[in-house]
Structures are given as structure tokens and as C-alpha cells.
Amino acid sequence: MANFIVVIDPDAERRFRFAETVKPRLAFLPGLKAASCSTGDFFAAWAASEKAPVDTAVTDAGAAIIWGRALRPGSSEKAAAAELGEAWDIPPERVPEVFDGYYAAAVYRQAGGALIGADPLGLFPVYHYACGEVLLVGSSPELFRFHPSFRSEFNPAGLVGILLLMHAVDGETLLRGVKRLKAGHCLYWDSRQKIKEARQYSMPVSLRHFDLPFSSQVRLLDESLEQAVLRQTDQREAHLLLLSGGLDSRILAGYLRDHGVATVALSLGQRGDSEIECAARVAACLGFEHEIREVDEDQYPRFAQLQALWEHGTTGFSTIMEWGIHALFRSSASYVVGGHLMDTITGPRLEYKQFAGPPTFGRFFRFINSYGVRAERLRKLLRPDIFGDAVDACIGRIREIYRGYSDLEWQRSWCFKINHRARFHVGGVLWRHSFGAWPILPAADQAVLACAGGMPAATLAEGLAEKRLLETRFPDLAEIPLDNFHNEPLKPRLRWLLNRHVQWTLRRWIKFGADGKNRSRGRINRLYDINGPGWVSVRREAEPFRKHAYEFFQKKELDALLPAPGTPIAYEHPVIDVSGIKSVLGFLLWLKDHPC
């Protein structure tokens, strides 16, 4: 993990006081090692795990820092901070080189200003704030408030975006003037008080593979994923693999086995969970050592406080349990391989299918808004004297961003989901995981993105290409049941087919009952149940701040949306139906440390 803060401030005394204030606060979890560097008007400090990859190059003329692994595209060669300091132009006369991997980087020159960037999809969080001659940049906006130049003001647009989609929109945060660096952009700043986000990487949509037969498209996808795994893993190191019972991690597991990468599989859950049953069979088939661990639901209030304090709601609030996962990683592991974003990049859902008619922005928006507070309800919830027409303005900006990606609706949907929901909601957990081991994300490799970005919906949607890839490349893994509604393998054996009818009939009555409603206490239902003991304890923690929330929300509407902790909240889906409510809950906890 790297929790970092950067300040450029010509006032030496002010800069020193700020440094002394924030340095003790960076290592907010046990086991983190703090470090810092400075030159001229520049100061940077960070706290990272002992094995986290951090590289620095500091001279009297400037500094360069890379937090993470920045890999040259198409290669396993790591970029060095010293090389980056020379290669990135300040001001940027050419597009700065962007690397694969999970990282953030900063280059400062005493005579020229600063350039800050991150991985192609902006998964590593980078926030910035500029005021006159001062620039603040960090992996969280939390420490900005300790600088005397920072003005802590509430930003209505930031909250509207978070409540509409359960994550930030267009870089807006809860604090006015604080922005999260946009995906594919770098930040340029100079001593003349000029600040600008410049595009560094564009989503690689094309028609490149549209005319190829399906089998050829699957082969290309197979090759790009395999090469990404080879480039990003280190044969000299042992790796953890986050192995679920699903499709994405199973494919990655196959590549790791085929290329002899030393791997320990880690599955999250409890014995008896369908996810664990499927994952255990995959690990046994591959010959991987298999560990089963689970987060402690009793720790939900602590996780919630960390989420509210350090992420300010920008990544949503439904995955607070991920704050407990880094502690489950082996202390000997430097890297953890995960299938994060893979289902969105190489096997996305066709969200339009639940709405009648051809794909349109309206239908797409109804889908992404289903994870937040519905727009019509949000208009009633927000106080008009504070928010005005912010809901409609935010929807208009979402529409503008969506239409700017491509002329094809499929590619617009694909790009938006990757750069928003996948980046924040799914990708947001990576920063938390990196406290224990550094994330490796083969699906976010630029070559994989370019391959998938040139394929039609008919190839990728609903995981069609991924399923064919598993069947043809790893047939032994395709015979093992997948963790899905029916727990069916892609290539069932005759014995499995003969047993299915009896087993499914019994399971249906046990799991679903006569009315067919899901009563399973599987991992998703258990961890995300807003009426479960973990979330009820979080609701109790937030309850004292309800009175402060009435300054922003209509009292009647808030009390109906988020009732007191003792009152159950009705829902059908434990994730989708209550994600927006949890974002409201997170805002109440944020108000504890940020009274506006």
C-alpha cells in the first residue's frame, strides 16, 4: 500500500508545519513503514507496506517518485523513477508515456513545475487541490485540510454524483475544489499557478476485430490475457491468487498453472458457501495450495470509519468489508493477482436487455442509476435551497461523457462502465488490498484493453468469449461447476447431469422455498445484508449524525430512505437495491469529521 501526500509550497515554514502535521497520520494501519523526501518547494511523504514497490530519485533540481509497479507496455521491464524524471516533459510538450501496472507517479522540477500521473484507467487514486501558489496531491483528500491554504467547503455536485451512481462523477468530490484525477489523464502544474488535467490515454475502441470469426476473436483474447499474466507476474516471487468460484479468476488460475508461477490460492468466505465449494475444486484440480479466510463482520464499524474518512464516498460505501482483506494476505506475499474489472472488460453484461427496445442513453442510465438513489427520489431527497438543479446537471454531464466515447452504443456503454463503476466500485478495493500485497490486474493491461475494445458486443457480452476460452484452453476447469445461479459447469460430465435433477430439486426447496425467493446465506447475502448484524452496527454508528444530515436532506425523505437502525429495510437484491442507501449512510459518517 502507498498512502501518499505531496505539497508544493514556496513558504518554507508553512510547508514544514504541514509536513510535521501529516507525516504521523499517513500510517493509519499497523505494519506500514513511513518515508519522505523533499527538494526546493517540494515535499512528499508516504506510508507503505514493507514490500510495496516504491522508487525515488531526488536531486537539488527536482524529484521523481513511483508508488507501485510501472511496466513498459508490452514488456515486463519496470520503469525507474530516475528515468521518469528525465522522460516526462514539464510542461508536457508531448503526451507523457503511460505504463501498465498499478501505480501513481510524480515528477517535480524546481524550474518547471510538476507532473503527476497514474495507471491507464486511473485505478490508483490521485486527488488534487490548488490554491494560489500551493498545490496539494494525495492518494486521499483527507490530509489536505491540514494545510493552512486549504478551504474546506462542501461541494453539492460531488454528493449528487455519488448518490446517483454510488461513486464519483467527472472527478467531483465532497469538497469544493478537490478533484480526483480523471481516468487516462495526468496533472500538470507550474509556479505561475497554472493547473491542468491533460489526456494521457484514451479508451482503445475500434472496429479492428469485427470482421473476424468468433473463434479467431477468442484466440486473440486468450493470447492477450496470457501475455498480460506473463508480463505482470514475477517468476522469482510467490503470488497470491484471489480465487472465487467464478469465471475470471479461474481463467487467470489456468495461466498461472501453465506457466509455472508459484501460486497460493486465497478464497474469501466460509466452508459451505457455494463460492468456496467451487473454488476448492479449482484449486485441487490445479494443485494449488488453498487457503480459506473471511473478514470479521464485528469490525464493520471500524471499516466504515476508514472508508468514510479516507475515501470520502468517491468509491461508494457498499464494500467497506474490503478494508479487512489486506490483513488476510500472507505476510510473505509481495503480489496478489485478481480478476478485478475482468468481467467488465472481457465479459460485460448487456444491461440494455432488461429494458425493452434498442440501446439508448436513457436505458443505460436507468441501469447505472439502479446502483444509486433513483433520480426521481433523489430530487425529492435533496434540499433545493442547497442543491438547486444539481441532479439534472449531473445527468447531463453523464450523458455528455457517455456520448463522447464512441458513435456505437455498445462501445459507449463499455467505456463508461470501465471508467466509472469498474474503476471506482470494483477498482476502489485495490488501494485497500495493497496494504497487504501489491495488486496485479491482467485485465487492465493496455494490450487486453485494445483487444477487447476492438470486438463487437456479440463476442464479449454475457462472458460469451470468456466461456469459450475456458472450454477450449482449460477444459479440465470447465468441467468444475461455476459459482452462479445454478452452480453448473460449462462442460458438464454425464455423472453430473444424472445427479443434477435430484440435487437441484432438493436445493431449490432448501435454498429458495416454494415461492422461489432466494433465502441463501451465501457470502454476498451475508456480507451485504443491510439488515445483518455488521451493517446494523454501522447504522448505529452513523445515527448520531442524522441531525447534521437534515441540513442537506429533506427530513421526511431521509427518514423514509434510511430508517433508524432497529427498522429493517426492504430489498430484493442485497447489493443493487441498497447501494444508494449505503452511500447516504457513508455521508452521515463523513459528516462526523467534516462538519460543513
Side-chain angles (χ1 to χ4, degrees):
M1 167 268 184
N3 182 26
F4 76 86
I5 185 74
V6 168
V7 59
I8 302 176
D9 185 352
D11 186 322
E13 177 62 24
R14 187 172 58 190
R15 188 176 64 249
F16 174 79
R17 291 199 309 269
F18 177 71
E20 292 302 299
T21 301
V22 299
K23 280 193 294 186
R25 291 174 165 85
L26 284 163
F28 60 88
L29 291 173
L32 302 182
K33 182 179 179 181
S36 63
C37 66
S38 62
T39 181
D41 299 338
F42 174 91
F43 170 82
W46 58 93
S49 61
E50 192 73 33
K51 293 190 175 183
V54 179
D55 188 28
T56 63
V58 183
T59 68
D60 291 341
I65 310 172
I66 299 176
W67 296 280
R69 298 173 74 235
L71 304 176
R72 300 193 182 282
S75 168
S76 58
E77 179 188 357
K78 289 172 57 178
E83 298 172 336
L84 192 68
E86 297 178 359
W88 276 10
D89 294 330
I90 302 176
E93 297 179 1
R94 55 184 175 178
V95 177
E97 183 178 10
V98 63
F99 306 98
D100 282 318
Y102 182 69
Y103 72 92
V107 173
Y108 165 78
R109 293 199 184 100
Q110 183 73 13
L115 195 63
I116 294 95
D119 52 87
L121 298 181
L123 297 172
F124 197 110
V126 176
Y127 298 86
H128 60 87
Y129 175 87
C131 180
E133 58 189 2
V134 175
L135 175 69
L136 298 169
V137 180
S139 51
S140 164
E142 176 55 25
L143 298 180
F144 293 179
R145 62 192 175 111
F146 295 104
H147 194 283
S149 296
F150 183 74
R151 298 291 176 265
S152 185
E153 299 179 25
F154 173 67
N155 178 24
L159 181 59
V160 169
I162 290 169
L163 294 184
L164 271 177
L165 302 189
M166 72 167 285
H167 53 68
V169 173
D170 202 29
E172 296 286 351
T173 72
L174 294 175
L175 295 171
R176 194 182 302 275
V178 176
K179 299 279 190 177
R180 175 156 171 177
L181 189 62
K182 296 177 186 176
H185 284 68
C186 59
L187 179 72
Y188 166 68
W189 180 88
D190 67 20
S191 57
R192 296 171 297 173
Q193 303 174 18
K194 178 181 179 182
I195 186 167
K196 178 183 178 182
E197 289 194 14
R199 181 167 293 281
Q200 192 177 14
Y201 175 82
S202 297
M203 292 298 292
V205 292
S206 70
L207 305 179
R208 183 178 179 184
H209 306 309
F210 275 48
D211 291 337
L212 293 178
F214 179 66
S215 59
S216 296
Q217 294 180 38
V218 173
R219 177 179 54 80
L220 289 173
L221 187 63
D222 178 18
E223 291 174 355
S224 68
L225 281 169
E226 180 178 28
Q227 289 304 310
V229 171
L230 281 175
R231 285 196 301 270
Q232 297 199 29
T233 52
D234 188 338
Q235 295 285 344
R236 299 166 298 179
E237 297 273 359
H239 293 69
L240 283 175
L241 168 68
L242 287 177
L243 181 65
S244 70
L247 187 60
D248 303 326
S249 62
R250 186 175 304 196
I251 291 173
L252 297 181
Y255 294 131
L256 292 170
R257 173 196 61 182
D258 285 2
H259 292 282
V261 179
T263 304
V264 174
L266 172 63
S267 297
L268 303 171
Q270 301 173 356
R271 294 195 181 278
D273 291 348
S274 61
E275 300 97 317
I276 297 300
E277 293 176 3
C278 296
R281 293 184 60 179
V282 171
C285 178
L286 295 171
F288 288 169
E289 181 182 346
H290 188 212
E291 298 180 356
I292 301 170
R293 300 183 184 180
E294 186 57 294
V295 297
D296 183 358
E297 287 186 71
D298 291 341
Q299 294 295 310
Y300 271 30
R302 183 174 71 88
F303 299 157
Q305 293 288 355
L306 289 170
Q307 180 85 342
L309 186 65
W310 289 98
E311 299 193 34
H312 287 214
T314 56
T315 62
F317 204 70
S318 61
T319 58
I320 59 170
M321 68 288 296
E322 299 285 340
W323 279 99
I325 290 178
H326 70 91
L328 306 180
F329 293 164
R330 281 190 171 193
S331 60
S332 59
S334 298
Y335 304 110
V336 55
V337 182
H340 304 86
L341 281 77
M342 193 165 162
D343 60 346
T344 303
I345 294 171
T346 61
R349 293 170 54 188
L350 265 179
E351 62 279 348
Y352 297 119
K353 71 179 184 180
Q354 60 186 293
F355 305 114
T360 64
F361 171 76
R363 295 187 177 93
F364 177 76
F365 178 77
R366 284 199 291 276
F367 169 76
I368 58 176
N369 182 220
S370 67
Y371 287 89
V373 180
R374 297 286 186 173
E376 56 272 18
R377 187 168 193 179
L378 185 58
R379 292 187 183 96
K380 297 177 182 177
L381 174 68
L382 300 175
R383 286 183 49 172
D385 56 320
I386 295 176
F387 293 91
D389 62 352
V391 173
D392 293 327
C394 186
I395 295 173
R397 181 58 184 145
I398 292 170
R399 181 188 296 109
E400 182 182 1
I401 295 170
Y402 172 85
R403 290 178 175 171
Y405 286 122
S406 171
D407 292 331
L408 300 179
E409 292 290 336
W410 155 252
Q411 292 182 341
R412 289 172 170 175
S413 165
W414 185 76
C415 291
F416 193 97
K417 287 189 295 182
I418 291 172
N419 279 338
H420 295 84
R421 176 171 169 76
R423 179 190 179 205
F424 292 111
H425 172 63
V426 181
V429 307
L430 301 171
W431 191 61
R432 299 165 230 165
H433 288 184
S434 66
F435 298 161
W438 205 258
I440 293 178
L441 311 167
D445 187 273
Q446 292 178 67
V448 176
L449 287 164
C451 179
M455 292 183 176
T459 297
L460 296 182
E462 310 303 321
L464 183 61
E466 279 193 3
K467 292 173 183 176
R468 182 62 61 85
L469 190 163
L470 185 70
E471 291 173 347
T472 55
R473 180 64 189 270
F474 307 113
D476 54 340
L477 301 183
E479 294 176 352
I480 299 172
L482 286 164
D483 174 43
N484 53 29
F485 187 76
H486 298 293
N487 281 10
E488 293 182 356
L490 293 179
K491 296 181 67 176
R493 293 180 177 181
L494 178 60
R495 181 180 177 182
W496 188 92
L497 292 171
L498 292 174
N499 288 334
R500 178 178 61 174
H501 179 71
V502 173
Q503 291 181 353
W504 173 244
T505 301
L506 291 173
R507 285 179 181 176
R508 184 170 184 83
W509 279 94
I510 294 172
K511 182 178 179 181
F512 295 91
D515 58 4
K517 290 188 177 181
N518 191 339
R519 294 181 176 82
S520 169
R521 287 295 291 172
R523 186 170 192 265
I524 295 297
N525 284 16
R526 182 173 65 249
L527 295 190
Y528 286 85
D529 180 9
I530 198 168
N531 301 315
W535 280 104
V536 169
S537 64
V538 174
R539 291 166 63 184
R540 290 196 190 100
E541 194 80 13
E543 188 61 21
F545 310 104
R546 180 183 294 269
K547 59 181 179 294
H548 302 303
Y550 292 147
E551 299 176 19
F552 305 91
F553 303 133
Q554 303 281 15
K555 183 179 185 302
K556 181 180 178 181
E557 295 293 335
L558 176 61
D559 293 346
L561 181 68
L562 179 64
T567 303
I569 297 174
Y571 67 84
E572 290 291 329
H573 193 284
V575 177
I576 299 174
D577 295 345
V578 293
S579 290
I581 299 173
K582 290 175 180 177
S583 291
V584 173
L585 186 63
F587 180 64
L588 266 63
L589 284 173
W590 181 82
L591 287 172
K592 173 185 177 182
D593 295 290
H594 307 86
C596 298

